[in-house]
Amino acid sequence: MTLRIAYSPCPNDTFVFDAWAHGRVPCAPALDVTFADIDITNGMAERGEYDVLKVSYAVLPWVLDEYALLPCGGALGRGCGPLVLTREVGTDLAGKTVAVPSERSTAYLLFRLWTADVVPGGVGKVVVMPFHEIMPAVRDGKVDAGLVIHEARFTYQDYGLHCLADMGEHWESVTGLPIPLGAIIAKRSLGDETLRLLAESARTSVRMAWEDPEVSRPYVLEHAQEMDPAVADQHIGLYVNEFTSDLGPDGYAAVRGLLTRAAAEGLIPPLGRDALSFV
């Protein structure tokens, strides 16, 4: 059995899936891998196009009828939230134009919850851009601010930009919970037995990467878009953690907390009671 999977070329995803994608996880199904930005994979999930996908937690309310959330392989954590960047320190975002990587992303949900608390009247216009175009757009004055994710945490100062706010810090201060960022989902039609196998395969692939990180390095750097190897290592260290191996009670509480609060604000549809349950 070969399954079609899509995930990003970011170091955390290639690190997590290296062993599985290259056939080193015993008994795991073979993978036909497509690389795509998170905004693209979110759309794939809404159209039901792939067997397994890395998506934003924010898109789950639209896809959980067809897909199941796997309890491992994704990205949650502390101190790893999206940042709002500006050219000037302390920019007032009221009425301003802000670039975001996706309107169906966890980053955007966190941003909307933050603006509801701290930007009276809200921002002016939101424009969607591929995440790698956002910092140059802020630097060049094409937008007033940018919501950035991934390795931008480590490189935004190279663009002469300033961090106006950390969405993760705001979320953690309000809730005390880790930040849910990216989820691994698989089609329910694959059946419970296969879903359990997929979860165990993802968990084993993560553990194999931890046991010998150098094995995954060529795969990580091949797809890291000319990223400095030291930045790639920081990226992996921040986004691949105990929640990647197993969501656990705190992980599930964070996911449900984010989606419940966002639904209460009218940003997403409400979740069904058992929507996050795994087989």
Side-chain angles (χ1 to χ4, degrees), residues 15-72:
F15 180 82
V16 164
F17 285 103
D18 172 64
W20 189 359
H22 291 94
R24 300 196 304 273
V25 176
C27 302
L31 297 178
D32 177 6
V33 178
T34 294
F35 291 102
D37 183 72
I38 195 75
D39 193 38
I40 302 299
T41 60
N42 286 345
M44 291 172 172
E46 292 188 71
R47 295 185 296 272
E49 292 179 347
Y50 278 65
D51 300 306
V52 187
L53 289 157
K54 169 74 174 289
V55 298
S56 299
Y57 274 107
V59 84
L60 291 190
W62 286 276
V63 303
L64 285 180
D65 284 345
E66 186 169 358
Y67 288 90
L69 170 65
L70 298 192
C72 52

Side-chain angles (χ1 to χ4, degrees), residues 70-119:
L70 298 192
C72 52
L76 288 85
R78 297 184 184 276
C80 61
L83 306 179
V84 176
L85 304 180
T86 57
R87 289 187 305 282
E88 305 296 334
V89 176
T91 299
D92 181 358
L93 292 188
K96 297 296 196 302
T97 298
V98 182
V100 303
S102 168
E103 290 184 303
R104 287 279 174 92
S105 66
T106 308
Y108 185 62
L109 272 194
L110 292 169
F111 173 73
R112 289 287 301 274
L113 293 172
W114 172 75
T115 56
D117 288 343
V118 304
V119 184

Side-chain angles (χ1 to χ4, degrees), residues 226-249:
E226 302 181 1
M227 190 185 302
D228 185 299
V231 173
D233 289 343
Q234 286 178 291
H235 186 114
I236 292 166
L238 190 60
Y239 295 110
V240 184
N241 51 46
E242 69 272 19
F243 296 110
T244 313
S245 178
D246 191 347
L247 280 174

Side-chain angles (χ1 to χ4, degrees), residues 9-16 150-155 158 210 213-214 216-240:
C10 295
N12 60 307
D13 286 345
T14 49
F15 180 82
V16 164
H150 302 322
E151 68 278 358
R153 289 188 67 90
F154 313 116
T155 60
D158 296 341
W210 277 333
E214 288 305 311
S216 67
R217 181 166 288 270
Y219 189 54
V220 169
L221 295 182
E222 176 188 355
H223 297 285
Q225 299 179 355
E226 302 181 1
M227 190 185 302
D228 185 299
V231 173
D233 289 343
Q234 286 178 291
H235 186 114
I236 292 166
L238 190 60
Y239 295 110
V240 184

Side-chain angles (χ1 to χ4, degrees), residues 112-168:
R112 289 287 301 274
L113 293 172
W114 172 75
T115 56
D117 288 343
V118 304
V119 184
V123 301
K125 181 180 178 183
V126 169
V127 295
V128 177
M129 292 183 180
F131 78 90
H132 63 275
E133 295 180 9
I134 292 177
M135 289 192 292
V138 178
R139 177 197 62 199
D140 297 341
K142 296 177 181 177
V143 293
D144 299 304
L147 179 68
V148 300
I149 54 178
H150 302 322
E151 68 278 358
R153 289 188 67 90
F154 313 116
T155 60
Y156 70 86
Q157 291 174 325
D158 296 341
Y159 291 80
L161 302 179
H162 301 276
C163 178
L164 181 69
D166 184 321
M167 303 297 92

Side-chain angles (χ1 to χ4, degrees), residues 182-217:
I184 305 299
I185 58 174
K187 281 195 171 178
R188 296 183 186 274
S189 60
L190 294 169
D192 291 356
E193 183 177 349
T194 297
L195 289 173
R196 284 190 288 268
L197 175 60
L198 295 181
E200 188 53 40
S201 299
R203 187 173 288 116
T204 300
S205 190
V206 172
R207 291 172 178 167
M208 292 177 71
W210 277 333
E211 286 169 4
D212 194 350
E214 288 305 311
V215 173
S216 67
R217 181 166 288 270

